[in-house]
mmCIF file with all atom_site columns, all heavy atoms in Angstrom:
data_model
loop_
_atom_site.group_PDB
_atom_site.id
_atom_site.type_symbol
_atom_site.label_atom_id
_atom_site.label_alt_id
_atom_site.label_comp_id
_atom_site.label_asym_id
_atom_site.label_entity_id
_atom_site.label_seq_id
_atom_site.pdbx_PDB_ins_code
_atom_site.Cartn_x
_atom_site.Cartn_y
_atom_site.Cartn_z
_atom_site.occupancy
_atom_site.B_iso_or_equiv
_atom_site.pdbx_formal_charge
_atom_site.auth_seq_id
_atom_site.auth_comp_id
_atom_site.auth_asym_id
_atom_site.auth_atom_id
_atom_site.pdbx_PDB_model_num
ATOM 1  N N   . ALA W 1 112 ? 95.529  89.885 133.349 1.00 98.00 ? 396 ALA W N   1
ATOM 2  C CA  . ALA W 1 112 ? 96.940  90.262 133.464 1.00 98.00 ? 396 ALA W CA  1
ATOM 3  C C   . ALA W 1 112 ? 97.606  90.123 132.102 1.00 98.00 ? 396 ALA W C   1
ATOM 4  O O   . ALA W 1 112 ? 97.090  89.441 131.210 1.00 98.00 ? 396 ALA W O   1
ATOM 5  C CB  . ALA W 1 112 ? 97.649  89.355 134.471 1.00 98.00 ? 396 ALA W CB  1
ATOM 6  N N   . VAL W 1 113 ? 98.756  90.789 131.980 1.00 98.00 ? 397 VAL W N   1
ATOM 7  C CA  . VAL W 1 113 ? 99.606  90.622 130.801 1.00 98.00 ? 397 VAL W CA  1
ATOM 8  C C   . VAL W 1 113 ? 100.909 89.992 131.293 1.00 98.00 ? 397 VAL W C   1
ATOM 9  O O   . VAL W 1 113 ? 101.488 90.466 132.275 1.00 98.00 ? 397 VAL W O   1
ATOM 10 C CB  . VAL W 1 113 ? 99.933  91.982 130.146 1.00 98.00 ? 397 VAL W CB  1
ATOM 11 C CG1 . VAL W 1 113 ? 100.766 91.784 128.883 1.00 98.00 ? 397 VAL W CG1 1
ATOM 12 C CG2 . VAL W 1 113 ? 98.665  92.777 129.840 1.00 98.00 ? 397 VAL W CG2 1
ATOM 13 N N   . LEU W 1 114 ? 101.348 88.922 130.655 1.00 98.00 ? 398 LEU W N   1
ATOM 14 C CA  . LEU W 1 114 ? 102.625 88.310 131.019 1.00 98.00 ? 398 LEU W CA  1
ATOM 15 C C   . LEU W 1 114 ? 103.490 88.236 129.775 1.00 98.00 ? 398 LEU W C   1
ATOM 16 O O   . LEU W 1 114 ? 103.006 87.844 128.693 1.00 98.00 ? 398 LEU W O   1
ATOM 17 C CB  . LEU W 1 114 ? 102.440 86.899 131.573 1.00 98.00 ? 398 LEU W CB  1
ATOM 18 C CG  . LEU W 1 114 ? 101.787 86.811 132.956 1.00 98.00 ? 398 LEU W CG  1
ATOM 19 C CD1 . LEU W 1 114 ? 100.275 86.733 132.820 1.00 98.00 ? 398 LEU W CD1 1
ATOM 20 C CD2 . LEU W 1 114 ? 102.290 85.565 133.705 1.00 98.00 ? 398 LEU W CD2 1
ATOM 21 N N   . ASP W 1 115 ? 104.765 88.617 129.908 1.00 97.00 ? 399 ASP W N   1
ATOM 22 C CA  . ASP W 1 115 ? 105.645 88.437 128.758 1.00 97.00 ? 399 ASP W CA  1
ATOM 23 C C   . ASP W 1 115 ? 106.769 87.483 129.097 1.00 97.00 ? 399 ASP W C   1
ATOM 24 O O   . ASP W 1 115 ? 107.218 87.423 130.237 1.00 97.00 ? 399 ASP W O   1
ATOM 25 C CB  . ASP W 1 115 ? 106.111 89.782 128.179 1.00 97.00 ? 399 ASP W CB  1
ATOM 26 C CG  . ASP W 1 115 ? 107.336 90.387 128.830 1.00 97.00 ? 399 ASP W CG  1
ATOM 27 O OD1 . ASP W 1 115 ? 108.442 89.860 128.633 1.00 97.00 ? 399 ASP W OD1 1
ATOM 28 O OD2 . ASP W 1 115 ? 107.170 91.407 129.518 1.00 97.00 ? 399 ASP W OD2 1
ATOM 29 N N   . GLY W 1 116 ? 107.134 86.667 128.112 1.00 96.00 ? 400 GLY W N   1
ATOM 30 C CA  . GLY W 1 116 ? 108.159 85.651 128.365 1.00 96.00 ? 400 GLY W CA  1
ATOM 31 C C   . GLY W 1 116 ? 108.423 84.795 127.146 1.00 96.00 ? 400 GLY W C   1
ATOM 32 O O   . GLY W 1 116 ? 108.511 85.288 126.014 1.00 96.00 ? 400 GLY W O   1
ATOM 33 N N   . ARG W 1 117 ? 108.592 83.495 127.387 1.00 95.00 ? 401 ARG W N   1
ATOM 34 C CA  . ARG W 1 117 ? 108.895 82.560 126.308 1.00 95.00 ? 401 ARG W CA  1
ATOM 35 C C   . ARG W 1 117 ? 107.828 81.478 126.183 1.00 95.00 ? 401 ARG W C   1
ATOM 36 O O   . ARG W 1 117 ? 107.615 80.937 125.107 1.00 95.00 ? 401 ARG W O   1
ATOM 37 C CB  . ARG W 1 117 ? 110.232 81.835 126.582 1.00 95.00 ? 401 ARG W CB  1
ATOM 38 C CG  . ARG W 1 117 ? 111.441 82.732 126.722 1.00 95.00 ? 401 ARG W CG  1
ATOM 39 C CD  . ARG W 1 117 ? 111.823 83.314 125.383 1.00 95.00 ? 401 ARG W CD  1
ATOM 40 N NE  . ARG W 1 117 ? 113.111 84.012 125.414 1.00 95.00 ? 401 ARG W NE  1
ATOM 41 C CZ  . ARG W 1 117 ? 113.334 85.170 126.017 1.00 95.00 ? 401 ARG W CZ  1
ATOM 42 N NH1 . ARG W 1 117 ? 112.360 85.771 126.663 1.00 95.00 ? 401 ARG W NH1 1
ATOM 43 N NH2 . ARG W 1 117 ? 114.520 85.741 125.968 1.00 95.00 ? 401 ARG W NH2 1
ATOM 44 N N   . ASP W 1 118 ? 107.217 81.140 127.319 1.00 95.00 ? 402 ASP W N   1
ATOM 45 C CA  . ASP W 1 118 ? 106.327 79.974 127.367 1.00 95.00 ? 402 ASP W CA  1
ATOM 46 C C   . ASP W 1 118 ? 104.991 80.320 128.009 1.00 95.00 ? 402 ASP W C   1
ATOM 47 O O   . ASP W 1 118 ? 104.333 79.455 128.580 1.00 95.00 ? 402 ASP W O   1
ATOM 48 C CB  . ASP W 1 118 ? 107.007 78.848 128.169 1.00 95.00 ? 402 ASP W CB  1
ATOM 49 C CG  . ASP W 1 118 ? 107.327 79.272 129.600 1.00 95.00 ? 402 ASP W CG  1
ATOM 50 O OD1 . ASP W 1 118 ? 107.239 80.474 129.916 1.00 95.00 ? 402 ASP W OD1 1
ATOM 51 O OD2 . ASP W 1 118 ? 107.661 78.382 130.422 1.00 95.00 ? 402 ASP W OD2 1
ATOM 52 N N   . ILE W 1 119 ? 104.593 81.587 127.910 1.00 97.00 ? 403 ILE W N   1
ATOM 53 C CA  . ILE W 1 119 ? 103.343 81.991 128.575 1.00 97.00 ? 403 ILE W CA  1
ATOM 54 C C   . ILE W 1 119 ? 102.139 81.350 127.863 1.00 97.00 ? 403 ILE W C   1
ATOM 55 O O   . ILE W 1 119 ? 101.270 80.759 128.508 1.00 97.00 ? 403 ILE W O   1
ATOM 56 C CB  . ILE W 1 119 ? 103.183 83.534 128.607 1.00 97.00 ? 403 ILE W CB  1
ATOM 57 C CG1 . ILE W 1 119 ? 104.446 84.191 129.194 1.00 97.00 ? 403 ILE W CG1 1
ATOM 58 C CG2 . ILE W 1 119 ? 101.930 83.929 129.392 1.00 97.00 ? 403 ILE W CG2 1
ATOM 59 C CD1 . ILE W 1 119 ? 104.820 83.729 130.565 1.00 97.00 ? 403 ILE W CD1 1
ATOM 60 N N   . GLY W 1 120 ? 102.126 81.441 126.538 1.00 96.00 ? 404 GLY W N   1
ATOM 61 C CA  . GLY W 1 120 ? 100.990 80.899 125.789 1.00 96.00 ? 404 GLY W CA  1
ATOM 62 C C   . GLY W 1 120 ? 100.984 79.384 125.700 1.00 96.00 ? 404 GLY W C   1
ATOM 63 O O   . GLY W 1 120 ? 99.959  78.780 125.385 1.00 96.00 ? 404 GLY W O   1
ATOM 64 N N   . THR W 1 121 ? 102.129 78.764 125.967 1.00 95.00 ? 405 THR W N   1
ATOM 65 C CA  . THR W 1 121 ? 102.202 77.298 125.841 1.00 95.00 ? 405 THR W CA  1
ATOM 66 C C   . THR W 1 121 ? 102.100 76.583 127.188 1.00 95.00 ? 405 THR W C   1
ATOM 67 O O   . THR W 1 121 ? 101.449 75.549 127.303 1.00 95.00 ? 405 THR W O   1
ATOM 68 C CB  . THR W 1 121 ? 103.538 76.889 125.182 1.00 95.00 ? 405 THR W CB  1
ATOM 69 O OG1 . THR W 1 121 ? 104.603 77.590 125.831 1.00 95.00 ? 405 THR W OG1 1
ATOM 70 C CG2 . THR W 1 121 ? 103.552 77.202 123.696 1.00 95.00 ? 405 THR W CG2 1
ATOM 71 N N   . VAL W 1 122 ? 102.776 77.128 128.231 1.00 95.00 ? 406 VAL W N   1
ATOM 72 C CA  . VAL W 1 122 ? 102.895 76.405 129.500 1.00 95.00 ? 406 VAL W CA  1
ATOM 73 C C   . VAL W 1 122 ? 102.191 77.116 130.661 1.00 95.00 ? 406 VAL W C   1
ATOM 74 O O   . VAL W 1 122 ? 101.466 76.489 131.440 1.00 95.00 ? 406 VAL W O   1
ATOM 75 C CB  . VAL W 1 122 ? 104.393 76.213 129.865 1.00 95.00 ? 406 VAL W CB  1
ATOM 76 C CG1 . VAL W 1 122 ? 104.566 75.578 131.236 1.00 95.00 ? 406 VAL W CG1 1
ATOM 77 C CG2 . VAL W 1 122 ? 105.100 75.381 128.799 1.00 95.00 ? 406 VAL W CG2 1
ATOM 78 N N   . ILE W 1 123 ? 102.409 78.421 130.783 1.00 97.00 ? 407 ILE W N   1
ATOM 79 C CA  . ILE W 1 123 ? 101.916 79.150 131.964 1.00 97.00 ? 407 ILE W CA  1
ATOM 80 C C   . ILE W 1 123 ? 100.416 79.422 131.867 1.00 97.00 ? 407 ILE W C   1
ATOM 81 O O   . ILE W 1 123 ? 99.658  79.159 132.813 1.00 97.00 ? 407 ILE W O   1
ATOM 82 C CB  . ILE W 1 123 ? 102.693 80.482 132.154 1.00 97.00 ? 407 ILE W CB  1
ATOM 83 C CG1 . ILE W 1 123 ? 104.197 80.223 132.297 1.00 97.00 ? 407 ILE W CG1 1
ATOM 84 C CG2 . ILE W 1 123 ? 102.141 81.275 133.346 1.00 97.00 ? 407 ILE W CG2 1
ATOM 85 C CD1 . ILE W 1 123 ? 104.602 79.387 133.491 1.00 97.00 ? 407 ILE W CD1 1
#
Side-chain angles (χ1 to χ4, degrees):
V397 183
L398 290 89
D399 86 71
R401 301 289 189 289
D402 60 348
I403 308 303
T405 48
V406 175
I407 302 298

